[in-house]
Amino acid sequence: SFNSPQGLLYDGDGKLYVSDTGNNALREINFKTNRVTTLIGSGKRGAIIDKTAISSKGFDLSNPGDLEFFPDKSMIVISNAGTHQLLSYDIENQKISALAGNGVNGGVDGKYPENSLSKISDLSTYDEKLYFTDLNLSSLRILDKEGNIETLIDGKKSHLLSKPLGLTVDDTGVYITDIASRTIQKYDFTSQKVGEFIGGKEVQSKFPFKLN
């Protein structure tokens, strides 16, 4: 059984990882054995963790949300909303550590432990970078392989994003679902600007398909 599962991550080889938010746990569904295994979590809510890698056995997450492989498939990044952190889970060694976020509810860029996060809503990797939306900060941010966080769009200052929830990335840019404006926004890699991709009245009238 699960309790408010949110994030899903498939490894392509018969394993589906699930962030079981209500149980503060990371779980694995193995389609080859038809078994569900709890990898992290006992049902209790965990506390802030630092950079030091510790055994995931007996460790508890705190309202985990989305999941993503980064920097490769040996590591799972967990958006740990309750501690305002991105955590890194080493699958083979069964260890967990802080990847970004010092536990303070904030929006400071830079490297750990100086950087801070608020409410990460979605994760996506592209070109050796981890892209994520921060719902509370109305922002689009990235984490590179060196552990440096950069804010690409600060919606609080620019008013270009309101409540960015989901995102996906391709070779042209980042597509973002903005639930407050009921639009899909696009951050263009070439211009480094964000604009309405679809959803507003003006865009809908130009869109060649019927929108229900």
Side-chain angles (χ1 to χ4, degrees):
S1 59
F2 295 88
N3 185 1
S4 301
Q6 285 194 36
L8 298 173
L9 182 63
Y10 184 60
D11 73 346
D13 192 33
K15 292 182 180 179
L16 179 68
Y17 297 97
V18 183
S19 60
D20 195 336
T21 308
N23 283 320
N24 299 301
L26 173 67
R27 310 181 75 186
E28 174 194 284
I29 301 174
N30 190 316
F31 295 117
K32 295 179 180 179
T33 62
N34 293 321
R35 291 182 62 85
V36 175
T37 303
T38 299
L39 302 176
I40 307 173
S42 65
K44 298 178 181 179
R45 183 168 176 170
I48 296 170
I49 185 174
D50 63 22
K51 192 74 172 178
T52 306
I54 62 172
S55 173
S56 60
K57 296 184 183 300
F59 181 81
D60 291 296
L61 299 172
S62 182
N63 292 340
D66 200 23
L67 306 171
E68 187 60 87
F69 291 118
F70 184 80
D72 52 50
K73 281 196 170 184
S74 69
M75 310 290 286
I76 297 177
V77 177
I78 307 167
S79 61
N80 209 43
T83 63
H84 314 291
Q85 291 183 294
L86 286 173
L87 304 182
S88 182
Y89 174 63
D90 185 327
I91 300 173
E92 182 178 355
N93 296 310
Q94 299 181 345
K95 290 188 175 183
I96 192 163
S97 60
L99 181 63
N102 55 19
V104 175
N105 186 353
V108 179
D109 287 350
K111 290 189 176 182
Y112 182 91
E114 284 74 27
N115 58 35
S116 60
L117 312 169
S118 186
K119 187 177 182 180
I120 300 168
S121 49
D122 202 13
L123 307 170
S124 184
T125 56
Y126 181 78
D127 195 24
E128 299 186 328
K129 293 179 181 178
L130 180 70
Y131 292 79
F132 60 94
T133 46
D134 199 316
L135 191 65
N136 285 352
L137 300 177
S138 302
S139 64
L140 170 65
R141 309 176 76 185
I142 61 170
L143 174 73
D144 62 27
K145 291 179 68 174
E146 286 70 44
N148 187 64
I149 283 184
E150 178 186 358
T151 298
L152 299 179
I153 298 294
D154 185 339
K156 295 291 186 181
K157 294 180 180 180
S158 66
H159 305 291
L160 294 173
L161 296 175
S162 301
K163 288 291 182 181
L165 189 62
L167 82 163
T168 189
V169 188
D170 66 13
D171 58 350
T172 66
V174 185
Y175 301 86
I176 307 160
T177 56
D178 194 334
I179 57 175
S181 63
R182 300 179 181 179
T183 61
I184 296 175
Q185 302 284 336
K186 181 181 180 181
Y187 174 80
D188 186 87
F189 286 148
T190 302
S191 66
Q192 296 185 336
K193 294 180 179 180
V194 67
E196 192 174 276
F197 180 69
I198 192 170
K201 290 183 179 179
E202 181 179 349
V203 178
Q204 285 187 16
S205 65
K206 296 178 182 179
F207 197 62
F209 303 105
K210 181 179 180 181
L211 300 179
N212 295 320

